[in-house]
Amino acid sequence: HPPTRAALAQDLDIAALADNVAAVADANVVVLAVKPQEMPRVVGELRDALQRNRPTLISIAAGLRCADLDAWSGGGLAIVRAMPNRPAVVGAGATAMFAATGVTAAARAAAERVFDPSGSWVWLDDESQMDAVTALSGSGPAYFFLLAECMADAGVQLGLPLDTARRLAVATLHAAGLMAGTALQT
């Protein structure tokens, strides 16, 4: 979408290309961030370029196994599945990653560098754990949004102005999250 590419290029000071093959031609790391149902087509179109350059592939598409990505890409590439959650957009996300068999320490480090700015990350030992990650941290922020809404509604019912109740609810959840993080580290 040309206007979106132009905005991303300007906002992020990046090259935003219309041609995916050109975009991955010299890449060391390729992040695949398309809808799962689009992935076979997109990776299939990139297959020759990926096989030539052999980058680390990072997929953030839910439910797609490394074996599928390996087959679509022509095989033998370093493949990492990642599941970031929505707070990544503000640098406070949680990302779980799984590295397929044969992914080197250097490829893992490259994946870590990709997700460092988005918050915290962990490595999983088993790809099947990705489903639990999706349920826990992928969906988890929605529960906090709902809780904040319920807390604010309760505050309004107890006589607070809506803006005040919302600010207090959000600040309370934020602080509780910080405290929980501190408590888990000890």
Side-chain angles (χ1 to χ4, degrees):
H1 186 252
T4 303
R5 275 197 314 276
L8 287 171
Q10 182 176 344
D11 293 348
L12 302 176
D13 192 28
I14 61 169
L17 305 175
D19 180 355
N20 286 339
V21 174
V24 305
D26 296 319
N28 294 323
V29 176
V30 173
V31 178
L32 300 167
V34 299
K35 294 178 181 178
Q37 64 270 22
E38 295 293 321
M39 192 69 77
R41 179 188 59 78
V42 169
V43 175
E45 291 171 358
L46 298 174
R47 184 180 182 141
D48 291 341
L50 295 173
Q51 285 298 313
R52 260 191 314 277
N53 199 35
R54 311 208 48 83
T56 298
L57 293 185
I58 301 173
S59 170
I60 63 169
L64 298 181
R65 305 286 181 227
C66 289
D68 295 324
L69 294 163
D70 187 60
W72 298 329
S73 66
L77 301 178
I79 297 175
V80 173
R81 281 186 64 196
M83 181 53 58
N85 64 4
R86 188 72 176 139
V89 299
V90 294
T95 300
M97 293 184 278
F98 172 78
T101 303
V103 173
T104 65
R108 283 177 175 253
E112 292 167 3
R113 285 191 302 275
V114 167
F115 291 102
D116 274 342
S118 67
S120 63
W121 47 262
V122 297
W123 284 103
L124 302 177
D125 295 326
D126 189 309
E127 188 173 16
S128 67
Q129 294 172 321
M130 276 294 190
D131 294 333
V133 168
T134 301
L136 175 65
S137 62
S139 301
Y143 297 110
F144 275 81
F145 297 147
L146 179 60
L147 179 57
E149 187 178 309
C150 290
M151 290 171 64
D153 288 346
V156 168
Q157 289 177 8
L158 293 170
L160 292 174
L162 179 59
D163 183 58
T164 300
R166 284 181 177 160
R167 289 180 63 195
L168 288 170
V170 168
T172 299
L173 290 176
H174 176 75
L178 292 174
M179 290 178 72
T182 301
L184 292 175
Q185 292 176 8
T186 58

